[in-house]
Amino acid sequence: MSRRSAVKNARKATPQDSSGVNPRQPCPCGSGKRYKACHGSAGGVVDVPVARPFEGLAGECELIALREFVPSGTAVLPGAGADEITLATVLPMAAAGLVRADGVKFVGLQVQTRSNDISRDLARAVLWARDAEPGDVLAVVGPDTDAGENPERLQDLIDATAPLEPVVHADFTWWMPEGSEPTGEVALSLERANGAILPTERIGPAAYWVDAGEKAHLRWVRPEPEEQLLAALSRLHAAGELALGEGSRYAGSFRAHGLLVPVWDLDRELHAREWTDGATALGERLDAALASVESTPLTPAERRARDGLLGRQITIR
């Protein structure tokens, strides 16, 4: 065997390391580097992100929406204990948790992740909030947060079968107890946060209308497996039934925490409520398409439509 052939065969047979990751493949951490130049390097620590951190929770889709794109929203955690703990999209100074002066306890969702599992970090914040006192603030949360040697996940701390009921707010005045005025850094943070809000309304389960300026969008977190959902979307697209009505068009989709989020462009001259019926009707068509693709293969036209939809995807974390 020639030296060139031997090298070629050696490359084909590049072994996986003890973590099961091919050193030449992109690092699972999402850095964009090859694994061998990132967590697979000497002294590197394998900390592969949990791809679907909220799996098993009835509120999975709402949690993804609140963490990824709802600007100002809250939702009471079902069965979290210690009276009541409220999830919040953003807290003052991007805190991971805080207790207002009136005793209301919050855990932040849109915070920097310091471990490989968002669910576990949220559980750490919930455990902190249970014992926290008015005025306490948890600046950051991660493996060094005091939550015991084997911290639980959010799925272990709340009623996983209970739905999440988000409330979307027009601003961040809920940061403060009713009748109080913000001061200092909180006042500055509140002013900045209010100035950055994009008008958003929830028009259905995990379906959010947002006014992005030049146009409005519907972002809809779906619970179905990606392949099944794409097949159903393709079937509707091939039939010309993928829009919400006049003034709307399917724009594409992105992946977030293991689920697919389809996005539609909408005429921003229409109010969010004017899209509710269209979204409901689309949901019914989508449910029917999801049922049909389980038993009926895609036609050639539908497969071409799927190829087109695949070209409109991006991934966010």
Side-chain angles (χ1 to χ4, degrees):
M1 179 183 294
S2 69
R3 182 176 182 276
R4 179 177 296 179
S5 297
V7 172
K8 183 177 181 180
N9 290 337
R11 287 176 176 173
K12 288 182 178 179
T14 299
Q16 295 180 339
D17 75 350
S18 59
S19 71
V21 182
N22 187 324
R24 295 182 179 277
Q25 297 300 311
C27 188
C29 76
S31 67
K33 301 178 182 178
R34 288 187 180 187
Y35 175 70
K36 67 178 183 179
C38 191
H39 283 86
S41 61
V45 178
V46 179
D47 194 24
V48 180
V50 175
R52 194 173 168 184
F54 305 126
E55 185 175 12
L57 292 170
E60 178 181 20
C61 294
E62 299 290 0
L63 281 166
I64 292 173
L66 290 171
R67 175 169 169 84
E68 292 302 324
F69 55 81
V70 176
S72 179
T74 57
V76 174
L77 275 173
D83 298 322
E84 191 173 274
I85 297 174
T86 300
L87 275 178
T89 52
V90 180
L91 293 173
M93 283 78 74
L98 65 80
V99 183
R100 284 192 327 204
D102 59 359
V104 178
K105 300 179 177 183
F106 292 98
V107 167
L109 268 171
Q110 296 179 21
V111 297
Q112 203 66 5
T113 301
R114 300 186 65 193
S115 79
N116 67 337
D117 188 354
I118 296 170
S119 177
R120 204 174 298 280
D121 278 353
L122 278 172
R124 291 180 173 110
V126 169
L127 291 173
W128 172 88
R130 284 180 175 177
D131 298 325
E133 300 292 336
D136 288 349
V137 176
L138 178 65
V140 294
V141 65
D144 53 348
T145 302
D146 185 13
E149 293 184 2
N150 297 299
E152 297 162 290
R153 305 181 76 234
L154 189 62
Q155 288 86 336
D156 303 317
L157 297 182
I158 69 172
D159 182 357
T161 65
L164 208 62
E165 300 295 341
V167 177
V168 179
H169 304 274
D171 54 29
F172 288 96
T173 54
W174 52 268
W175 281 359
M176 306 297 298
E178 187 175 354
S180 63
E181 291 293 330
T183 59
E185 291 185 356
V186 173
L188 182 59
S189 184
L190 179 60
E191 181 180 357
R192 289 174 176 170
N194 284 340
I197 279 186
L198 296 178
T200 301
E201 292 194 28
R202 183 173 179 262
I203 63 174
Y208 291 83
W209 171 93
V210 55
D211 184 350
E214 293 184 0
K215 62 181 66 175
H217 305 287
L218 171 65
R219 298 169 181 172
W220 197 344
V221 187
R222 299 292 307 190
E224 297 84 12
E226 183 173 329
E227 285 301 316
Q228 183 182 354
L229 178 58
L230 275 173
L233 292 170
S234 302
R235 180 151 288 174
L236 292 182
H237 187 46
E241 297 179 342
L242 192 51
L244 281 75
E246 185 177 354
S248 70
R249 72 174 187 89
Y250 181 76
S253 61
F254 60 87
R255 299 180 186 91
H257 306 299
L259 294 183
L260 200 64
V261 186
V263 179
W264 286 261
D265 289 339
L266 306 175
D267 181 353
R268 69 184 296 265
E269 296 300 319
L270 299 178
H271 190 274
R273 290 190 297 271
E274 297 182 76
W275 294 107
T276 302
D277 290 344
T280 299
L282 174 59
E284 293 171 352
R285 295 196 301 274
L286 187 54
D287 287 342
L290 284 163
S292 71
V293 296
E294 292 184 356
S295 57
T296 308
L298 296 181
T299 66
E302 290 167 346
R303 289 197 296 272
R304 288 193 296 272
R306 182 182 59 188
D307 292 340
L309 297 187
L310 284 169
R312 304 186 197 181
Q313 289 185 328
I314 61 173
T315 300
I316 68 171
R317 291 191 182 276

